[in-house]
């Protein structure tokens, strides 16, 4: 019949093996390449086989089907599923997560390393598959365990108070401000009033010097080029072990918006930004803006920066957005 000519009697087996082949194909490790090759051959044989496969001997007799593939075919025939598919999926996700734990490694890099055949941190360290690490990533790998251990709250307390400048505004942000018992990293916001001619700009170098002298900061991983607006610093600090630290330095007049941004959490921020954009505003760590014109082709490109309508206090921004005040510990997904 027509159904038979388009749909082979072993179609379910073919579909399942094709799915597994696709997973290996995406991984592109050397072993994966061989597997793709061998599944391709097995699938071809299955396609030209007119009988329903019902025994391991029968599966084994197909051209290009070895012992292992024959066992997989029988698993599909008997259970309708292939556990190996779930395994490949979770193994893949677990390795990518492991690599993402290295400082400065995002999803894209993690997948690229996976594709190059790396499966463990040792593989990455040994440069398997030609993988190369940046200087910051190397430090991230060296202190992998410390950086990925959450910091008890009281350990963060020990770093404060700091005494760099009597007028400096310095706050511990992120999960710390939200009252969490442990913090993934230490997020510090710094700003300073400008009425005496000094600005937030001089504060980061002062803070870095003090923290280095106190041996709290141990490695500087990156400092953004300090444009006139904000500076972002990443480093490792060591009250007891090396922990990751982020410092955001912003102009005094932006402190309210920066407080909201840096308190998070990220999901709460996303919903606030969405609310703002639905009202025709735009919210970021510098302020709430009206009249922003975005490119219709690329919404991330601003054709006009708009006018700032609030930025000095968190309360102002909440009020304009019509969002009832929420304490930091309430700002969670
Ligand atoms: N943030 C954001 N969007 C991002 C990253 C960060 O809005 N993509 C904001 C909200 C976060 C804050 O910055 O709360 C600090 O970022 P962290 O990554 O340090 O996150 P948390 O401090 O909230 O959690 P953790 O304890 O894991 O560090
Ligand atoms: Mg944090
Ligand atoms: Mn952080």
């Amino acid at each position: 019949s027509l159904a038979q000519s388009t749909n082979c009697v072993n179609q379910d087996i073919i579909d399942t093996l094709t799915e597994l082949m696709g997973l290996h194909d995406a991984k592109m490790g050397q072993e994966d390449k061989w597997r793709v090759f061998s599944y391709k051959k097995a699938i071809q044989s299955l396609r030209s086989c007119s009988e329903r496969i019902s025994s391991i001997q029968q599966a084994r007799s197909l051209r290009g089907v070895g012992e292992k593939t024959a066992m997989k075919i029988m698993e599909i025939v008997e259970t309708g599923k292939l556990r190996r598919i779930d395994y490949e999926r979770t193994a893949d996700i677990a390795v990518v997560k492991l690599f993402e734990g290295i400082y400065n490694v995002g999803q894209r890099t993690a997948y690229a390393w996976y594709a190059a055949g790396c499966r463990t941190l040792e593989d990455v360290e040994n440069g398997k598959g030609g993988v190369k690490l940046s200087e910051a990533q190397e430090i991230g790998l060296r202190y992998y365990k410390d950086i990925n251990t959450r910091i008890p709250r009281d350990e963060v307390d020990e770093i404060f108070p700091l005494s760099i400048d009597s007028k400096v505004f310095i706050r511990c942000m992120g999960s710390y401000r939200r009252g969490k018992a442990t913090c993934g990293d230490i997020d510090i916001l710094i700003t300073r009033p400008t009425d005496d001619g000094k600005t937030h700009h001089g504060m980061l170098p002062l803070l870095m010097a003090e923290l280095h002298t106190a041996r709290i900061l141990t490695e500087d991983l990156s400092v953004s080029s300090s444009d006139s607006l904000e500076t972002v610093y990443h480093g490792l600090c060591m009250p007891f072990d090396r922990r990751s630290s982020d410092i955001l330095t912003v102009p005094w007049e932006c402190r309210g918006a920066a407080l909201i941004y840096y308190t998070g959490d990220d999901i709460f921020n996303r919903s606030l930004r969405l609310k703002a954009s639905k009202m025709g505003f735009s919210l970021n760590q510098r302020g709430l803006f009206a009249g922003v014109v975005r490119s219709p082709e690329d919404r991330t490109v601003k054709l006009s920066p708009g006018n700032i309508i609030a930025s000095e206090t968190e309360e102002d921004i909440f009020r304009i957005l019509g969002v009832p005040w929420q304490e930091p510990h309430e700002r969670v997904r």
Side-chain angles (χ1 to χ4, degrees), residues 160-229:
F160 291 87
L162 294 151
S163 55
I164 44 174
D165 174 319
S166 61
K167 295 192 78 168
V168 75
F169 175 99
I170 179 163
R171 293 284 184 283
C172 201
M173 305 296 295
S175 47
Y176 181 89
R177 187 170 183 233
R178 295 198 312 276
K180 296 280 167 203
T182 64
C183 305
D185 63 353
I186 300 170
D187 302 300
I188 299 172
L189 176 69
I190 315 180
T191 184
R192 187 191 192 283
T194 55
D195 49 359
D196 60 357
K198 289 191 190 171
T199 72
H200 64 290
H201 258 285
M203 297 302 113
L204 182 63
L206 278 180
L207 179 70
M208 282 173 64
E210 173 165 340
L211 292 178
H212 273 291
T213 307
R215 301 182 137 273
I216 289 172
L217 277 183
T218 54
E219 275 92 9
D220 300 328
L221 294 173
S222 73
V223 186
S224 73
S225 65
S226 60
D227 64 19
S228 61
L229 290 168

Side-chain angles (χ1 to χ4, degrees), residues 2-149:
L2 186 66
Q4 262 171 347
S5 64
T6 54
N7 227 340
C8 150
V9 286
N10 295 305
Q11 194 60 41
D12 56 331
I13 306 173
I14 291 171
D15 290 346
T16 310
L17 286 182
T18 303
E19 193 181 347
L20 180 60
M21 182 172 75
L23 288 171
H24 285 297
D25 196 34
K27 292 180 185 180
M28 302 191 313
Q30 197 52 49
E31 279 174 34
D32 295 305
K33 279 182 202 157
W34 284 112
R35 292 207 172 105
V36 169
F37 182 69
S38 88
Y39 290 138
K40 208 171 258 172
K41 280 195 304 184
I43 289 166
Q44 261 165 19
S45 298
L46 280 162
R47 248 194 213 112
S48 53
C49 174
S50 54
E51 292 161 52
R52 172 69 181 171
I53 304 292
S54 60
S55 75
I56 189 132
Q57 292 78 13
Q58 206 184 349
R60 198 72 176 77
S61 72
L62 293 171
R63 209 181 139 88
V65 172
E67 188 64 32
K68 285 180 184 164
T69 307
M71 279 164 67
K72 288 192 179 70
I73 291 175
M74 288 317 292
E75 188 185 331
I76 300 166
V77 169
E78 284 161 8
T79 72
K81 286 195 309 193
L82 194 52
R83 283 164 305 170
R84 181 77 193 200
I85 287 179
D86 294 331
Y87 170 80
E88 287 300 337
R89 283 232 167 85
T90 47
D92 168 314
I93 291 165
V95 172
V96 166
K97 278 239 150 53
L98 177 78
F99 294 165
E100 281 177 351
I102 300 174
Y103 181 83
N104 244 348
V105 173
Q107 199 177 56
R108 234 208 275 151
T109 306
Y111 267 107
W113 290 356
Y114 193 108
C118 293
R119 295 292 179 272
T120 64
L121 294 180
E122 287 71 45
D123 288 347
V124 170
E125 193 180 348
N126 298 331
K128 189 171 174 181
V131 157
K132 283 212 166 53
L133 283 82
S134 71
E135 217 170 298
Q137 289 168 342
E138 256 177 41
I139 295 172
L141 185 58
R142 193 172 324 138
Y143 301 114
Y144 188 92
K145 214 169 137 250
D146 286 341
I147 294 175
N148 287 290
T149 306

